[in-house]
Amino acid sequence: MRNRKQEETLQFFTGFVFSLVLTSSTFTTGQIRLAGPRSTSCSGRVEVFYSNAWGTVCDDEWDITDANVVCRQLGCGTALNATGSAHFGQGDGKIWLDNVRCSGDESSLTSCGHNGYEKHDCGHSEDAGVVCSVNLPKPSISTGSAEVTWGQQVSITCSIAASPLSGTFILRKTSGSFRVTRSSDSSSATFNIPKVTLDHDGEFKCQYEKMMSSQTFTSPFSNSVRLRVSLERPIISLTSPDGGLVWGPGGAEVTKGYGLSFTCSINPRYPQGDFSLIFSDSNITETRPAVNNSASFNFPAAEFEHQGNYSCVYEVTMATQRFSSDEAEPISLIIKSSSLLLVSSVSSGILLLVLLVSLAVCLRCRRKLCSKQPIPSDQNQSLYSARDAL
């Protein structure tokens, strides 16, 4: 009697062997497949099943007529390109066919003329491939820099593994109407944007088109690449209309009570936007529209609460999207006491002290004089008379 574990094991191996039998029985001599890196169901390295093994085809005399037979046999339409030199990577194992010579009417590749199986003078570096019309391979897309500043140049490259000749690459933006085409005789095309603007901010995709017998065959879209366009940092400056500004090692020093003015400016090529003055020591920001690409923020009289770090940001609204620049290099503001007020306070203090000292000296001297000089008798008598009269 078998236990349950033995039964499960037997069922597993029985099913596994049965699966192998079914799998191997699905391949018959003369079948073909497309393989290799970046291959699809209708583009790739051509491989033939013969003598219970898959093998490749040499690219000697390999042309579009041979490729057409392969594409038709696979149900992939017509051939767009017959590739050589192991374009879809090198195979391994056998090289079954060489010097294939199809007339174009054959139902299968193995029905075409050739040297015979495994009769060749090739290496796998000469493996042949096809690109069929029904399923063009998916292109790839890349950009030199995903983040660029307004006005900079950016390049976006589209490429396709199959490299069908004389095709057209299409660069599209996933939102908006941006669409640029470029014809190419190679497997790639580069789209140069000399000066990016905020309109170029977003995602881009590539597509490939190939004209064949008055028909247009189109590949799937590539994956998207995100291009971020930012604004350059504005410039912030500080002036004092009253002349109370001095630049010191710690930053800008403005005398208390004097007027001061911050000015934010940006490159004139930018569109109309708003400047925001940012005070680092407070959550309060002040925003003003740009006039001639600048804006001024005025303080009539500097107070000690104005002391701190100041910067500014430029913002532009395009459609429903808002773009903000990085903060400008900050200015450190120090408020100092007025020197005239200090001198006046010191002078007043000294004068008051002198007056107090003088008064004390006078009082002391008066006491001394009064104690040392007796009043004459006649003067005493007068004083007494005056007192009695009162």
Side-chain angles (χ1 to χ4, degrees), residues 100-314:
V100 175
R101 300 175 296 276
C102 296
S103 65
D105 297 326
E106 293 85 354
S107 60
S108 67
L109 183 66
T110 53
S111 300
C112 299
H114 55 82
N115 290 353
Y117 288 100
E118 209 175 358
K119 293 181 180 180
H120 63 83
D121 56 356
C122 306
H124 280 297
S125 62
E126 301 170 80
D127 286 344
V130 296
V131 179
C132 304
S133 62
V134 169
N135 190 4
L136 282 172
K138 182 179 179 179
S140 60
I141 185 172
S142 62
T143 179
S145 177
E147 295 190 11
V148 292
T149 303
W150 175 298
Q152 285 186 334
Q153 176 178 322
V154 67
S155 297
I156 300 177
T157 300
C158 301
S159 58
I160 193 167
S163 67
L165 298 181
S166 302
T168 301
F169 284 95
I170 304 167
L171 179 66
R172 297 175 183 265
K173 197 165 176 281
T174 55
S175 61
S177 58
F178 182 91
R179 184 182 185 274
V180 183
T181 62
R182 185 174 296 278
S183 299
S184 176
D185 290 336
S186 66
S187 60
S188 66
T190 299
F191 298 84
N192 293 314
I193 304 176
K195 294 182 179 180
V196 297
T197 67
L198 297 182
D199 291 331
H200 296 120
D201 185 274
E203 294 186 346
F204 291 82
K205 290 184 176 183
C206 283
Q207 199 173 27
Y208 185 80
E209 286 185 350
K210 172 72 177 178
M211 289 289 297
M212 196 77 175
S213 302
S214 301
Q215 295 185 29
T216 301
F217 302 96
T218 306
S219 76
F221 279 107
S222 69
N223 294 332
S224 61
V225 62
R226 179 75 166 90
L227 185 64
R228 299 183 183 276
V229 181
S230 61
L231 303 174
E232 68 181 21
R233 300 171 73 178
I235 298 172
I236 184 172
S237 59
L238 173 62
T239 58
S240 176
D242 305 328
L245 172 63
V246 176
W247 290 95
E253 298 177 356
V254 175
T255 304
K256 181 179 180 297
Y258 280 76
L260 56 94
S261 177
F262 288 98
T263 300
C264 300
S265 58
I266 198 75
N267 194 305
R269 69 170 176 260
Y270 288 162
Q272 178 67 32
D274 299 316
F275 284 103
S276 294
L277 182 69
I278 301 173
F279 181 28
S280 63
D281 295 346
S282 171
N283 293 327
I284 300 175
T285 60
E286 188 175 350
T287 301
R288 292 187 179 178
V291 178
N292 296 326
N293 299 97
S294 66
S296 294
F297 301 84
N298 302 313
F299 298 83
E303 302 294 341
F304 288 116
E305 59 263 27
H306 294 145
Q307 183 164 291
N309 295 320
Y310 290 82
S311 184
C312 57
V313 169
Y314 191 64

Side-chain angles (χ1 to χ4, degrees), residues 29-48:
T29 296
Q31 282 193 324
I32 60 174
R33 70 180 183 184
L34 301 179
R38 299 175 295 179
S39 63
T40 69
S41 58
C42 291
S43 62
R45 181 180 62 243
V46 178
E47 295 189 352
V48 176

Side-chain angles (χ1 to χ4, degrees), residues 375-388:
I375 300 174
S377 56
D378 56 345
Q379 292 181 359
N380 289 336
Q381 187 64 36
S382 301
L383 291 172
Y384 293 146
S385 301
R387 184 188 64 185
D388 295 338

